[in-house]
Amino acid sequence: LGAVRHKGMIPWDDDIDLWVPREDYERLLKLGAEMRKFSLRLNSPELNTGYYLGEAKISDINTTIWEHRCLPFVFGVFIDIFPIDQTSVSKDEMILYYDHFKETTNSYIDIISVFDWKDYIYALRHKNIKLLIKRIHNRNKKDSWRKRVIDATRAIKNDKNGDHMVTITGEYREREYLPIQWFEKTLEMPFEDFSIRIPSGYDGYLSQLYGNYMALPPIEKRYSHHKKYYMNL
């Protein structure tokens, strides 16, 4: 969307999302040591205990971001790397995989989160006893739940004869069930002071996600969905 509509960063956004085909994504996960030479850190559930997302991040080790108060996993200014799978599963099957991934990730986040007494009082006031029991009961099962997250991200098997591309670690559920024809070719698109490759079927994809994607959102909706403080030390 940034490349097509703004020829670069969306002015009110603060990160970049990239797709990587599954085969290349798995290769990428092996390059963590190489990235350190360039002051970059590769984060993923496969590589980092306490990392709470399904997709990977490449972050700048000279910066610091602590994104959620109760999740003390520190990384730097980042780009998100989403694996995309070619598949022959139906849309209904894809939705099941997506929902399973989200449920597994949310359970893992509950387990690894660090809460103070105010959080427990809040849960009691709202009669969320089930959540309290789950947090306490699963506290010593972090490693097994992290493996479940990893397995959930890889549940859809790549099929080179598949007729769709899917991203189950994203946010758009069935809207990320995409015809393979949209990816048969790529286009070079200017982005800031360089260029990137995007699928030739970008119009179908962006329309499926956003509708009239060239129309700017209302001013009151032009803000980042990430909640952060900025501290210059």
Side-chain angles (χ1 to χ4, degrees):
L1 181 59
V4 173
R5 192 171 69 190
H6 302 277
K7 308 304 181 189
M9 288 287 294
I10 298 173
W12 52 89
D13 201 359
D14 60 10
D15 78 330
I16 294 175
D17 298 333
L18 298 180
W19 271 334
V20 176
R22 173 64 66 175
E23 183 178 349
D24 292 333
Y25 184 83
E26 297 297 336
R27 293 171 59 196
L28 178 69
L29 295 182
K30 299 176 182 178
L31 297 177
E34 291 296 314
M35 291 186 190
R36 300 288 293 187
K37 299 176 183 178
F38 302 95
S39 297
L40 300 174
R41 180 184 179 189
L42 179 61
N43 308 280
S44 77
E46 292 87 350
L47 301 175
N48 306 104
T49 300
Y51 183 74
Y52 47 88
L53 299 169
E55 72 274 11
K57 289 183 184 291
I58 297 177
S59 59
D60 180 353
I61 64 174
N62 296 311
T63 61
T64 297
I65 290 178
W66 178 357
E67 194 165 35
H68 299 287
R69 177 178 63 84
C70 60
L71 290 165
F73 187 89
V74 176
F75 43 89
V77 173
F78 61 87
I79 58 174
D80 285 325
I81 312 292
F82 291 88
I84 187 167
D85 294 288
Q86 184 174 351
T87 183
S88 55
V89 303
S90 68
K91 182 185 289 189
D92 288 343
E93 290 176 296
M94 180 265 188
I95 291 172
L96 291 176
Y97 283 116
Y98 177 93
D99 290 345
H100 172 66
F101 164 74
K102 288 297 182 184
E103 291 169 5
T104 304
T105 304
N106 288 338
S107 293
Y108 181 58
I109 288 173
D110 281 337
I111 291 167
I112 64 175
S113 294
V114 178
F115 299 99
D116 61 25
W117 60 272
K118 294 179 182 178
D119 297 300
Y120 287 101
I121 290 176
Y122 179 86
L124 287 171
R125 281 180 176 173
H126 291 78
K127 299 181 180 179
N128 202 340
I129 304 300
K130 184 178 179 180
L131 176 60
L132 288 176
I133 293 173
K134 182 169 70 171
R135 287 173 180 168
I136 296 169
H137 177 70
N138 290 323
R139 186 61 69 188
N140 296 321
K141 300 180 180 180
K142 295 179 182 179
D143 288 340
S144 63
W145 274 95
R146 180 163 71 106
K147 184 178 184 304
R148 293 188 195 188
V149 171
I150 295 169
D151 291 342
T153 67
R154 298 173 173 173
I156 292 183
K157 302 302 179 184
N158 255 344
D159 179 359
K160 293 185 177 180
N161 296 314
D163 54 2
H164 280 82
M165 303 293 283
V166 300
T167 307
I168 65 167
T169 58
E171 296 294 331
Y172 295 98
R173 206 165 182 251
E174 69 274 8
R175 283 183 285 168
E176 300 216 59
Y177 186 73
L178 314 168
I180 188 67
Q181 292 83 1
W182 292 353
F183 294 85
E184 289 178 343
K185 296 180 181 179
T186 59
L187 302 173
E188 288 283 328
M189 187 73 71
F191 191 95
E192 302 295 344
D193 58 353
F194 55 99
S195 64
I196 61 171
R197 286 192 298 166
I198 67 172
S200 59
Y202 70 86
D203 178 69
Y205 170 69
L206 292 174
S207 297
Q208 183 164 303
L209 255 65
Y210 307 114
N212 182 12
Y213 60 87
M214 291 302 290
L216 295 177
I219 292 178
E220 64 271 16
K221 293 187 177 181
R222 298 179 197 175
Y223 60 88
S224 169
H225 61 278
H226 296 118
K227 299 175 181 177
K228 298 184 179 69
Y229 292 100
Y230 172 66
M231 299 175 65
N232 186 342
L233 304 181

